[in-house]
Amino acid sequence: MTRRLDLAMLLVLTFSTGMVDAIGYLGFDKVFTGNMTGNVVILGMGLAGAEDTPVLRPALALVFFMVGAALGGRVLGRIGEEWHMRTTIIFAGVAIGCAGLAVYVALVPNPELGLAGTIFTSVLSALMGAQAAAARRMKIADVTTVVVTSTIVGLASDSRLAGGDSVRWIRRALAVLLILIGAIAGAATLMINQWIGIALVAAAIAVVTVIGHRGAKKRTLAEAAASPVHA
């Protein structure tokens, strides 16, 4: 039951990644803040001199994502696969950071332009890197929260059409669907105002943090109650 809850939480985070990537790409000069594969490709095209293809922001997003992932790994330490207090700290920090960015975007005139836009995409990338590090440590197969390419490969190659047994097809399909829906939602919020999408992302991550933390606390109490009492 606990791992099912963890899976559900990571699927919600996958949805939020679809939102932030749509917001970054469409609203902040073609920058992915969660999907670093996309940034590497964009960076390569930009370095090759492709017209209207950015270099600075994708490069900084890549660097800051790695910094965020490294810091996340340092905070997490050697915890196991189950939700830990340190997992709560990481996700709470990401939620607070996204909330701060929503305020930043709401207050700064033309936040997508110049230095303001670069600060936004770099900070958001660092937050997504920390989130990805925490999600990776939980080791839920096929759900990384930031990419679905390998998930799509597994969905197709393990399908009955390919002679497989369609193992974990539901979670794989959900991961792909949720990042798609997240991208649609992120693009839709840009039609209103940029800060709305980031605020929704912050709210989604905050909900995940609270539910995940409470679930882990209940598990700990249940284990303590079930363990023998020693004199």
Side-chain angles (χ1 to χ4, degrees):
M1 181 64 182
T2 301
R3 297 304 281 170
R4 288 184 180 179
L5 178 61
D6 290 344
L7 170 61
M9 298 302 95
L10 293 191
L11 286 172
V12 174
L13 295 178
T14 301
F15 166 82
S16 69
T17 299
M19 288 195 68
V20 298
D21 272 339
I23 292 167
Y25 188 86
L26 297 175
F28 291 83
D29 195 24
K30 299 178 181 177
V31 179
F32 290 107
T33 54
N35 177 13
M36 289 301 113
T37 302
N39 268 345
V40 171
V41 173
I42 290 173
L43 181 59
M45 293 188 294
L47 291 173
E51 186 177 356
D52 295 327
T53 303
V55 171
L56 178 61
R57 286 187 185 177
L60 287 175
L62 181 60
V63 170
F64 276 90
F65 184 92
M66 294 176 67
V67 170
L71 290 174
R74 173 66 69 176
V75 171
L76 292 166
R78 296 183 178 277
I79 65 172
E81 298 177 7
E82 294 183 337
W83 192 292
H84 189 276
M85 181 62 191
R86 295 186 183 187
T87 311
T88 298
I89 291 172
I90 292 293
F91 288 143
V94 174
I96 293 170
C98 288
L101 285 177
V103 174
Y104 171 80
V105 169
L107 296 179
V108 174
N110 300 316
E112 73 280 4
L113 300 178
L115 180 61
T118 302
I119 290 173
F120 172 83
T121 55
S122 298
V123 173
L124 187 54
S125 293
L127 294 172
M128 292 299 103
Q131 174 181 293
R136 181 176 182 272
R137 193 63 57 88
M138 293 170 71
K139 295 183 180 179
I140 299 292
D142 301 307
V143 185
T144 66
T145 76
V146 289
V147 292
V148 292
T149 302
S150 59
T151 305
I152 293 172
V153 172
L155 183 63
S157 63
D158 292 337
S159 67
R160 297 191 184 281
L161 182 63
D165 56 4
S166 293
V167 63
R168 296 193 296 269
W169 74 270
I170 295 178
R171 73 171 62 174
R172 289 168 171 172
L174 282 174
V176 176
L177 181 62
L178 285 170
I179 205 166
L180 172 64
I181 295 173
I184 294 171
T189 60
L190 287 175
M191 299 178 185
I192 306 172
N193 198 296
Q194 294 140 320
W195 71 268
I196 294 175
I198 302 302
L200 290 175
V201 167
I205 299 173
V207 169
V208 165
T209 303
V210 171
I211 294 176
H213 180 71
R214 287 183 175 178
K217 192 172 181 180
K218 287 181 179 179
R219 183 192 71 240
T220 301
L221 291 174
E223 290 174 353
S227 63
V229 178
H230 299 283

